[in-house]
Amino acid sequence: MSGFFIRRLMQGVISIIGASIIIFVISRLSGDPILMLLPNDAPTSMIEETRRNLGLNRPLWVQYLIFAQNALVGDFGNSYRWKMPALKLILDRLPATIELAMCGLLFSVAVAVPVGVMSAVHRGGWIDRIGRVFAMLGQAMPAFWVGLLLILVFAIKLNWLPAFGHGSWSQLVLPAISLGWYPVAAQTRIVRSAMLDVLDSDHIRLSRALGTPERLIIWKYALRNAAVPLLTMLGVYFAAMLGGAFVVETIFAWPGVGRTVVEAVFARDFPVVQAGVLFTSVLFVMSNLLVDLSYGLVDPRIRNGR
Amino acid sequence: MLLSVRDLQTHLHLKRGVLRAVDGVSLDVAEGETLGLVGESGSGKTLTGLSLLRLLPKGSGRIVGGSIKLDGQELTTLSEAALARDIRGRKIAMIMQDPMTSLNPVFSIGDQVGSPLRNHDIARGAALRSAVVDVLQRVRLPSPADRLGDYPHQFSGGQRQRIVAAMAIGCTPRLLVADEPTTALDVTIQVQIINLLRSIQADTGAGIILITHDLGVAASLCRRIAVMYAGQIIETGPVRAIYRSPSHPYTKALLAAIPRLGAKRARLTAIAGQPPSLIDPPTGCRFAARCTLRMDKCAEAPPNVTLSDGHSAACWKLV
């Protein structure tokens, strides 16, 4: 277990280093930030001066090493635009993003588990068929489109829920559904196939032979077995939601990390982009690690180091 | 009579046709008696056992005829809910073949052994815990009180079969259906489980139906044996009578096929041919195609001939 964990940790560190190099290079390919910071008619001497002050005149690899060295102690530099530490800017926006990702995940699980379980129990029945249609719709509709549709229907036509903003529960509903919509399909399929496997196993047959009520067989004895593969997915999806929420955050004007990074990209605010993306990749790696650890909660065979 | 099965017919509705898996089986089990149901794979012995609990494959399996009476109560017409509440695990319990897969890997054994007791409202709370410890003691699991929180993977194969047995006898059922309970185990562990079944029977007076293809296991545990072939019982009688003077050609061939220590022959004796398809079984004797004593008459269904007290076989040669 500990060897496995250390190996996963090392893999995570390598992933983060890789992500830092990629984001560092890509952000610099997007153009020269100086032109955004200074007025169009700024004299060349002033441009050079600013470039020197920001360290942008040095070779790229030197810039990276300085960036990496500072990043290790949590210093990502100041935002060119907001003149405040980039990391602080990101951390300030993080709770909103986590809130949104959690609710998105909650929505997807709340739909996927019952639908998946009932699809497996009544295989080929109407729930199974409707579930399959929904799964296809889920896979085929991108988040931005779902988001726009939801706004159109529930905010504009029906006027039930607000279309944007952050602060109250009602403002959370539409963004959470848009974010959680896509993974519902995959999660339903995982739950369904895992349940089908378990329901056909010897121990469930024995449970039935000993008179266990069907309700307990399905929701207690079978579901906990089926939860193991679902849990793996949840970790990956949670991480993907943290990183991928930028579309939904932008549509719903949600003040999260994603929207901040998108704005920073448009402003060529390198430190904020780097801090945001790197921070998200650290979260990604960490949530995958947490999933590896949490298997033990569900599956005692892993808990006991086998 | 504790259990009395008459002319049981169980069909499997498959895509390629209706498989007559159990075709006219009749058997009796008295209180405290062990009946061995012996036969090769596909002979219908397991489906006969599952029919008693109506645990047939969902959708395809159905009892289409005959009667099953437990203590005089007809089971074939009982509702699914009544079956789960009053019969399964309460009056008839089952021990499955493979102890490695018969326990739920993600629940503690305390929970699993307690489950039938909870479901049948026999014990709750602190009483439940002590009942679980008690039943685990009866199957001789070492220091059960300390191991209630342990999970199946922490036990050996023999210990797991003891735990499965504990789940089965928790509610002191009247009848225990043991489907190949020793097949997946080492020989030394097999003996332990056989002894365990004996002591369970001595304790509770339950009737046991032992389903096995191992004639040795059947001989060591049972007083009576029923030999199944192609969905039918072709010979039944006391263990001694069957082993000393097998009467049906299939039983004879089966006993002759047991390899003996010290025998000179290098090759194993086998019965030539295959059992018939049960989707479209032959009208006469189902063993006729493989039988060395076949006569013209065998194209008709053979009568059940009584040979001595409680010993009978279905074969034209015996008429």
Side-chain angles (χ1 to χ4, degrees):
Chain A
M1 182 72 197
S2 65
F4 167 76
F5 183 65
I6 289 169
R7 208 160 53 239
R8 295 306 305 262
L9 200 66
M10 293 313 293
Q11 286 169 356
V13 169
I14 292 171
S15 311
I16 291 170
I17 293 174
S20 74
I21 293 176
I22 291 171
I23 189 54
F24 186 82
V25 173
I26 284 185
S27 60
R28 271 151 185 78
L29 288 177
S30 68
D32 193 341
I34 306 293
L35 302 178
M36 306 282 264
L37 287 170
L38 297 176
N40 282 339
D41 55 355
T44 322
S45 62
M46 194 175 173
I47 293 179
E48 286 306 317
E49 163 98 31
T50 316
R51 202 185 292 279
R52 226 183 353 263
N53 285 344
L54 293 174
L56 294 171
N57 58 336
R58 310 174 86 165
L60 203 57
W61 64 274
V62 177
Q63 287 185 42
Y64 174 75
L65 286 182
I66 293 170
F67 158 72
Q69 197 183 7
N70 290 335
L72 275 179
V73 292
D75 177 11
F76 287 85
N78 280 340
S79 161
Y80 299 159
R81 193 162 154 234
W82 304 101
K83 314 290 181 216
M84 64 186 281
L87 187 63
K88 185 177 183 314
L89 200 64
I90 295 298
L91 287 178
D92 284 350
R93 304 296 181 86
L94 186 65
T97 292
I98 290 182
E99 181 187 353
L100 181 59
M102 290 278 234
C103 292
L105 201 67
L106 211 65
F107 166 77
S108 67
V109 173
V111 176
V113 168
V115 173
V117 168
M118 294 321 281
S119 296
V121 172
H122 304 287
R123 189 184 190 175
W126 62 269
I127 291 188
D128 195 10
R129 277 176 228 177
I130 292 176
R132 227 173 303 166
V133 171
F134 260 90
M136 230 160 55
L137 282 179
Q139 298 284 48
M141 294 160 71
F144 72 86
W145 194 55
V146 174
L148 292 177
L149 270 187
L150 289 174
I151 291 177
L152 193 66
V153 175
F154 293 101
I156 297 176
K157 289 259 183 297
L158 296 172
N159 205 15
W160 287 355
L161 293 159
F164 59 86
H166 170 248
S168 73
W169 274 104
S170 61
Q171 284 165 316
L172 189 55
V173 176
L174 293 184
I177 294 178
S178 328
L179 194 60
W181 182 267
Y182 180 77
V184 165
Q187 285 172 15
T188 305
R189 278 205 311 263
I190 282 278
V191 172
R192 179 180 179 273
S193 70
M195 281 297 284
L196 281 176
D197 276 355
V198 181
L199 287 173
D200 195 39
S201 65
D202 283 347
H203 55 83
I204 293 299
R205 217 163 288 143
L206 182 65
S207 274
R208 284 213 179 94
L210 296 178
T212 310
E214 202 59 23
R215 171 180 47 85
L216 282 182
I217 288 194
I218 293 166
W219 297 104
K220 181 179 174 189
Y221 291 104
L223 186 57
R224 196 187 286 185
N225 280 279
V228 179
L230 177 66
L231 206 64
T232 330
M233 273 190 108
L234 290 191
V236 176
Y237 274 116
F238 183 64
M241 280 175 176
L242 287 178
F246 62 90
V247 173
V248 173
E249 286 182 2
T250 307
I251 291 176
F252 290 95
W254 190 265
V257 176
R259 197 168 65 118
T260 310
V261 171
V262 170
E263 282 168 0
V265 168
F266 288 135
R268 288 184 204 145
D269 197 347
F270 294 167
V272 176
V273 177
Q274 286 159 4
V277 173
L278 203 60
F279 192 75
T280 311
S281 52
V282 170
L283 282 181
F284 195 98
V285 167
M286 267 177 20
S287 68
N288 275 319
L289 271 176
L290 278 179
V291 169
D292 288 341
L293 288 179
S294 66
Y295 287 143
L297 291 178
V298 188
D299 194 331
R301 285 167 294 188
I302 297 168
R303 194 185 318 158
N304 294 307
R306 287 213 189 170
Chain B
M1 198 55 68
L2 173 65
L3 176 78
S4 171
V5 177
R6 288 291 168 273
D7 199 28
L8 180 69
Q9 314 247 356
T10 300
H11 289 181
L12 293 181
H13 296 255
L14 306 177
K15 279 198 185 113
R16 50 206 168 88
V18 177
L19 191 127
R20 299 154 179 275
V22 180
D23 203 1
V25 163
S26 298
L27 50 85
D28 291 306
V29 181
E31 215 160 311
E33 184 190 38
T34 304
L35 172 75
L37 204 52
V38 183
E40 58 192 277
S41 311
S43 60
K45 52 192 195 310
T46 294
L47 275 171
T48 303
L50 290 174
S51 295
L52 301 180
L53 286 161
R54 287 233 310 267
L55 281 173
L56 299 165
K58 219 175 168 184
S60 66
R62 207 168 308 151
I63 295 177
V64 294
S67 93
I68 301 168
K69 283 192 171 138
L70 183 79
D71 283 325
Q73 186 187 14
E74 178 62 49
L75 300 188
T76 51
T77 51
L78 217 56
S79 75
E80 182 67 25
L83 218 54
R85 191 183 60 237
D86 302 331
I87 304 295
R88 290 179 193 151
R90 185 75 190 83
K91 285 187 173 164
I92 306 181
M94 195 150 187
I95 297 177
M96 308 259 179
Q97 176 166 355
D98 190 351
M100 305 313 271
T101 56
S102 292
L103 293 169
N104 196 323
V106 298
F107 285 89
S108 69
I109 62 141
D111 182 294
Q112 294 189 62
V113 174
S115 153
L117 295 162
R118 272 196 311 270
N119 296 334
H120 296 296
D121 271 323
I122 296 208
R124 288 195 184 267
L128 177 67
R129 192 193 138 87
S130 67
V132 169
V133 171
D134 177 63
V135 72
L136 285 170
Q137 250 154 12
R138 275 160 59 203
V139 298
R140 299 192 191 86
L141 189 81
S143 50
D146 307 328
R147 305 209 60 182
L148 295 183
D150 286 357
Y151 289 86
H153 70 271
Q154 292 163 297
F155 295 87
S156 69
Q159 286 175 328
R160 288 192 215 186
Q161 196 61 304
R162 284 170 194 275
I163 295 165
V164 172
M167 289 171 73
I169 65 171
C171 305
T172 48
R174 307 270 289 135
L175 180 72
L176 211 55
V177 180
D179 187 2
E180 307 267 13
T182 60
T183 307
L185 299 170
D186 293 342
V187 182
T188 47
I189 311 295
Q190 285 188 8
V191 176
Q192 294 178 13
I193 296 298
I194 287 171
N195 288 335
L196 176 65
L197 287 175
R198 274 208 195 102
S199 75
I200 287 173
Q201 191 163 47
D203 276 5
T204 64
I208 296 181
I209 293 183
L210 178 75
I211 297 170
T212 181
H213 66 267
D214 188 329
L215 292 163
V217 170
S220 64
L221 254 174
C222 307
R223 206 171 68 198
R224 277 193 314 120
I225 283 183
V227 182
M228 278 195 85
Y229 183 79
Q232 299 176 329
I233 291 178
I234 49 101
E235 182 164 1
T236 177
V239 167
R240 277 169 171 271
I242 294 222
Y243 281 76
R244 287 214 180 129
S245 53
S247 304
H248 195 284
Y250 175 68
T251 317
K252 282 184 188 165
L254 207 57
L255 287 168
I258 299 176
R260 280 171 220 291
L261 271 182
K264 286 264 159 58
R265 271 182 320 211
R267 288 180 66 92
L268 295 171
T269 324
I271 306 174
Q274 295 284 323
S277 155
L278 293 180
I279 289 181
D280 186 19
T283 45
C285 173
R286 293 189 175 175
F287 187 61
R290 304 168 79 182
C291 186
T292 51
L293 306 169
R294 184 175 57 236
M295 314 180 291
D296 290 345
K297 235 180 164 168
C298 298
E300 291 169 40
N304 205 17
V305 183
T306 304
L307 302 158
S308 62
D309 193 23
H311 185 189
S312 64
C315 178
W316 283 111
K317 275 282 176 202
L318 305 170
V319 176

